[in-house]
Amino acid sequence: MAESAGAGTTLLLRGGRVVDPAQGLDGAYDVRIRDGRIDTVGANLPADGATVRDVAGLLVLPGLIDGHVHCFHGLGPMIAPDTVGVSRGVTTVVDAGSSGHTTFGLFRDHIMAPAKTRVLAYVHLSTLGGVIGPEYENLGDPRLIDPDGIAAVVEANRDRVVGVKVHAITGAMGALGLEPMRQARALCDQLRAPMMVHIGETWSQEPAKPVHQIVEFMQPGDILTHMYTAQRGGMLDGTDRLHPAVQEARGRGVRFDVGHGSSNLNWGVAQRLLDMDFVPDSVSTDGSYRNLHWLTWDLPTVMSKLLGLGLPLTDLIAMATCNAAAQIGRADELGSLAPGRVADVSVMRLEEGDWKAIDSQRQERVLRQRLVPVFTVRAGEVIQPRALEPQPPPTPAPHHAATT
Ligand SMILES: [Zn+2]
């Protein structure tokens, strides 16, 4: 049976390094969990009858949030939420538009409900959702955009739906050009919900939508994902410069997310943007079967890749906790170990030692440190990690190979 600090039980995590950016905490503290909630965070707390776990030498973090995954398991290449969630040190995952308003009920009842991991979602602007991937021109057909239908589902599921997802690429929007962006803008204004926007043209041979045109549709609180893509339509122009409209978008409060995925983390692009001090607001895997078993692995691995690029650990922890929580409108509920919150805790080891990491273009780098989940506490229950079986990378599609 799983060890638990559910109703009537107490668990004490003793002697770890607690990093909780939301509370400005970084130091040696104990964490007491009672009845599935955070009871106290403090130095040298008495055992007081609690089950004590010695976590000396480990990082004790607010439950990590992976703000961009594809977990409509059973549909196309999508993974189960726990595979990328509690099994890998992550207590909340946010599905980025795998369901649309006609498929959300299925997603809610059959994916969200049974998962141990907390699952939230952006509903796709397409009636059907992302289905099996953005290569479908599902936003290029006006019959597959139904703002009233989406609005009804969002309103009825505010507890689980955090916004609307749009693939702002020619491969998805097809002949409708930027019209889906206009419709998404109107819908998000009406709903007062953020839109998450995918950039990076992986699947189409048509000209990409320039990012400076896309960000014109984005307002404070909206999220641009795949900021480190090397695909056409990415953040940098042909001379490696950032378009002023993108900088302006950040200035007015548009957020920028990593969204590693199969195609969208490139060492060179990331380095160039970091050199400009253009850092992510949030870090995410964009995890699916297409990338999980050979490239992205899990959120701690994606964080480790950015650590290797020079981002400070505490900044990365903020990105995966309080920043990610704010991004989905849950800052008062998730992303902190504040007393009274649901006891979602990620206990990690920062391993020292060389390991080989690759980017989406399969370029190798040797990195020095790696975050590894040791155990996860989800609503007071202790869950052990489960490793993913390595699998060979898929053969790149010919049009994919043509990109840098
Ligand atoms: Zn995605």
Side-chain angles (χ1 to χ4, degrees):
M1 241 182 72
E3 197 177 327
S4 166
T9 57
T10 311
L11 178 65
L12 185 68
L13 306 179
R14 175 171 277 169
R17 175 184 168 194
V18 172
V19 183
D20 181 359
Q23 299 196 86
L25 285 181
D26 183 356
Y29 298 105
D30 300 338
V31 178
R32 181 189 300 282
I33 295 163
R34 193 193 299 273
D35 298 336
R37 291 189 175 268
I38 304 293
D39 180 75
T40 321
V41 178
N44 305 313
L45 298 180
D48 234 1
T51 302
V52 177
R53 286 186 76 113
D54 179 5
V55 292
L58 302 177
L59 291 161
V60 178
L61 313 176
L64 299 185
I65 301 167
D66 190 339
H68 181 166
V69 306
H70 293 282
C71 63
F72 203 150
H73 190 224
L75 195 60
M78 303 193 202
I79 47 157
D82 291 343
T83 304
V84 75
V86 290
S87 299
R88 303 306 305 154
V90 172
T91 55
T92 298
V93 297
V94 188
D95 184 89
S98 306
S99 66
H101 86 272
T102 56
T103 51
F104 181 78
L106 196 63
F107 186 66
R108 178 162 187 142
D109 291 349
H110 296 279
I111 303 293
M112 288 177 159
K116 277 191 187 278
T117 310
R118 180 187 291 98
V119 184
L120 303 171
Y122 297 90
V123 172
H124 205 284
L125 184 64
S126 165
T127 296
L128 296 173
V131 193
I132 66 165
E135 61 268 48
Y136 278 81
E137 289 196 8
N138 53 6
L139 295 175
D141 181 344
R143 293 172 303 174
L144 293 183
I145 302 178
D146 174 5
D148 292 343
I150 299 168
V153 165
V154 173
E155 292 294 8
N157 295 278
R158 289 274 188 186
D159 60 327
R160 294 281 194 166
V161 176
V162 302
V164 175
K165 173 75 182 286
V166 194
H167 285 95
I169 51 175
T170 305
M173 300 197 291
L176 285 188
L178 292 169
E179 174 60 15
M181 289 303 297
R182 194 195 60 73
Q183 289 186 287
R185 177 72 271 141
L187 178 64
C188 289
D189 286 344
Q190 177 197 332
L191 292 170
R192 295 176 187 277
M195 68 165 106
M196 176 182 261
V197 177
H198 165 123
I199 62 160
E201 194 75 53
T202 299
W203 294 277
S204 164
Q205 295 301 293
E206 302 299 317
K209 300 279 179 273
V211 68
H212 63 87
Q213 289 181 8
I214 299 299
V215 295
E216 295 303 333
F217 292 92
M218 299 178 73
Q219 291 296 323
D222 291 341
I223 302 116
L224 182 145
T225 188
H226 306 316
M227 64 185 290
Y228 290 152
T229 187
Q231 309 289 41
R232 292 174 299 117
M235 298 266 288
L236 299 173
D237 67 16
T239 54
D240 260 10
R241 279 182 306 215
L242 193 59
H243 197 284
V246 177
Q247 199 68 261
E248 283 165 27
R250 164 155 277 186
R252 69 174 177 272
V254 171
R255 297 165 194 258
F256 291 81
D257 176 58
V258 171
H260 185 324
S262 309
S263 313
N264 298 309
L265 179 87
N266 175 274
W267 298 130
V269 172
Q271 195 64 64
R272 178 82 183 115
L273 285 166
L274 289 172
D275 290 346
M276 297 177 198
D277 280 333
F278 202 98
V279 297
D281 293 295
S282 59
V283 52
S284 61
T285 58
D286 189 12
S288 74
Y289 278 126
R290 286 181 168 158
N291 57 62
L292 211 67
H293 292 257
W294 63 277
L295 175 63
T296 55
W297 299 105
D298 51 30
L299 185 61
T301 301
V302 176
M303 292 167 74
S304 306
K305 290 184 180 184
L306 300 184
L307 191 63
L309 284 167
L311 277 166
L313 177 66
T314 48
D315 290 5
L316 285 161
I317 293 167
M319 289 173 205
T321 59
C322 52
N323 287 16
Q327 198 158 283
I328 53 174
R330 300 291 196 278
D332 55 353
E333 194 185 326
L334 304 177
S336 170
L337 298 173
R341 300 239 180 158
V342 171
D344 288 356
V345 188
S346 299
V347 180
M348 301 265 159
R349 176 180 292 111
L350 185 60
E351 286 185 356
E352 303 285 338
D354 291 354
W355 66 286
K356 285 180 187 166
I358 54 171
D359 69 2
S360 294
Q361 281 64 49
R362 307 181 189 187
Q363 303 171 98
E364 200 172 282
R365 282 197 178 192
V366 177
L367 305 182
R368 306 290 300 279
Q369 293 178 307
R370 186 167 189 169
L371 275 173
V372 177
V374 178
F375 66 89
T376 305
V377 183
R378 170 74 184 101
E381 181 185 347
V382 175
I383 300 166
Q384 298 302 325
R386 274 221 316 258
L388 287 163
E389 281 295 315
Q391 286 171 11
T395 309
H399 55 274
H400 187 194
T403 58
T404 52

